[in-house]
Every structure is written in structure tokens, then in C-alpha cells.
Amino acid sequence: QELLEDHLRHRVLALAEETGEFVQAARRHLGLARRTGTHDQMSAELADVVLTAFVTAVELKIDLPVAIRTKLDVIYTRGWRDDQTGTDR
């Protein structure tokens, strides 16, 4: 049991790490960091996030496609917001 919990903790931390790498790549691509980065680098890092999320979901027994559909249903009932004014469209 403890070994399984350690593995799951590692998997969740791996997802956080991949997310951080994506943010770093995005900052570079958008000119918000000292070094520059390419769109391809940013895309690859985002793909790592998605893949790691799916692996993490499987290991945590989460049906991610179902969870995404459920979340989208909630989002769609909220209505859309105008990014600049915060008002409904």
C-alpha cells in the first residue's frame, strides 16, 4: 500500500513538473523570459502535460474523457464571458 501511494505521489508530482516545463516553454516563446523558445518546443511541452495527465488519470482510476465531458457540461451552463469586460456574451 505504501509503495502504491509513493508511486501515485510521484505521478502527481510528475504532472506538476510537466506543467511547469510547459509554462517555462510558453514564457520563452512569448518573449517573457531571458531565453527565446520556439512554438514547436512549447507544443511539445503541452503534449507532455496532456499525456502525463492521461497516464495519471489511469493510475488514479479516473476516466478522464468522462471527467472532461462532465466538466464541459458545467462550463457550458455558466455561459461565456467577454474577456475584457467580464460580461456575458
Side-chain angles (χ1 to χ4, degrees):
Q1 180 67 19
E2 187 175 322
L3 187 61
L4 176 62
E5 288 175 7
D6 283 346
H7 176 74
L8 294 176
R9 275 193 289 272
H10 173 75
R11 178 57 53 207
V12 170
L13 291 175
L15 180 56
E17 181 179 344
E18 292 297 345
T19 302
E21 290 175 9
F22 164 69
V23 170
Q24 188 175 39
R27 290 183 72 238
R28 288 180 181 147
H29 177 66
L30 297 171
L32 301 173
R34 285 183 257 180
R35 292 184 4 208
T36 61
T38 67
H39 187 268
D40 287 345
Q41 290 167 330
M42 182 180 63
S43 297
E45 292 300 340
L46 183 55
D48 283 346
V49 171
V50 172
L51 292 169
T52 304
F54 272 91
V55 170
T56 303
V58 167
E59 294 187 7
L60 292 173
K61 297 177 178 39
I62 296 170
D63 186 336
L64 196 51
V66 169
I68 290 169
R69 280 192 297 275
T70 301
K71 185 64 176 181
L72 283 173
D73 287 344
V74 170
I75 290 169
Y76 291 149
T77 62
R78 291 181 189 156
W80 297 101
R81 299 260 178 211
D82 185 310
D83 292 339
Q84 294 180 355
T85 65
T87 59
D88 288 336
R89 289 188 195 178

